[in-house]
Amino acid sequence: MQIMKLRLMSITRATACAFLMANLLATPLRADEVKAGDLVITQAWSRATPGGAKIGGGYLTIENKGSTPDRLIGGSADIAAKVEVHEMAMNNGVMTMRPLDRGLAIEPGKTVKLAPGGYHLMMFELKGPLKQGDKLPVTLEFEKAGKVTISLDVQGVGAQGPAGAGKMDMKKMPSDMKM
Ligand SMILES: [Cu+2]
C-alpha cells in the first residue's frame, strides 16, 4: 500500500513538473507575431543604413506549424525598388551572397531563421535611409501562404539581433562580396 501511494505521488509530481516545463518552454505570444496561414513570423528586424547606402537587409524568424512545406519566394517594400531572398555563405574562404531563385523552403514543423551571416532579405535601391527605431513595412510573398505584410524593427547600424546585442564590423567583410 505504501509503495502504491508513493508511486501515485511521484506520477502526480512528474505530471505537474512536465506541465510547468511545457509552460516555460512555450514561446510567449508576442505582440509582433504575424500569422500567414500555417506560418508564424516573429522577430522581424533590420539595421539602420549608414550614409547613402542603397541596400538594406531584413531578418526574421518563420515557423511552419502546418503539415505541408512552403517557400518564401520574394517580397516588396515601399522604401525599396526590389526585395530579394538571399543566402550568405562561405565559398572557398570568401563570404558571398546570392539570391535564392527558387525561394527559401520552410518545411513543416521547422523554424527558419533569417539572420546576419545566413539567409536574409535584401532591399535594393532604398529611397531613403533606414533609421534606428523605424518600423519598416515589408510584404513577404510565400508560395502557398501568399502575401503578408510584416514590420521590420530597425536597430542600430551594427546590430546582430533584434535585441540589438553584439556588433559586426562591415569593413572587415571582403570587398568582393557579391550583392
Ligand atoms: Cu544579400
Side-chain angles (χ1 to χ4, degrees):
M1 268 316 261
Q2 199 116 45
I3 291 165
M4 272 299 283
K5 246 188 194 170
L6 269 171
R7 261 194 196 152
L8 272 173
M9 173 96 98
S10 64
I11 287 167
T12 314
R13 267 200 191 159
T15 311
C17 205
F19 184 72
L20 256 175
M21 284 294 286
N23 266 344
L24 284 173
L25 293 172
T27 317
L29 193 70
R30 297 167 56 102
D32 56 356
E33 180 177 285
V34 176
K35 285 195 172 80
D38 290 328
L39 305 177
V40 180
I41 298 150
T42 52
Q43 305 203 320
W45 65 284
S46 182
R47 284 195 188 115
T49 50
K54 287 289 173 207
I55 56 165
Y59 313 102
L60 54 137
T61 300
I62 308 164
E63 186 183 357
N64 187 346
K65 293 194 167 186
S67 54
T68 52
D70 206 338
R71 299 186 89 86
L72 173 61
I73 51 176
S76 59
D78 284 345
I79 197 160
K82 194 167 66 165
V83 178
E84 288 181 355
V85 185
H86 278 199
E87 178 184 35
M88 196 184 260
M90 289 297 280
N91 263 326
N92 299 320
V94 181
M95 190 74 106
T96 56
M97 60 166 124
R98 64 183 182 99
L100 293 173
D101 297 327
R102 292 193 57 237
L104 174 60
I106 319 286
E107 300 295 338
K110 294 273 162 62
T111 298
V112 177
K113 200 169 185 176
L114 284 78
Y119 300 122
H120 56 278
L121 293 176
M122 196 105 224
M123 295 176 278
F124 291 93
E125 294 170 54
L126 291 175
K127 288 162 194 163
L130 309 186
K131 294 190 208 88
Q132 188 167 1
D134 279 358
K135 303 269 186 199
L136 197 69
V138 171
T139 301
L140 303 174
E141 193 176 349
F142 293 96
E143 202 171 69
K144 293 203 180 80
K147 288 184 179 177
V148 61
T149 300
I150 58 161
S151 142
L152 301 179
D153 233 324
V154 182
Q155 308 289 324
V157 172
Q160 279 289 72
K167 292 226 171 201
M168 182 165 88
D169 190 355
M170 298 294 286
K171 281 176 225 128
K172 278 185 189 145
M173 288 190 134
S175 53
D176 58 342
M177 189 169 71
K178 287 177 189 150
M179 290 293 172

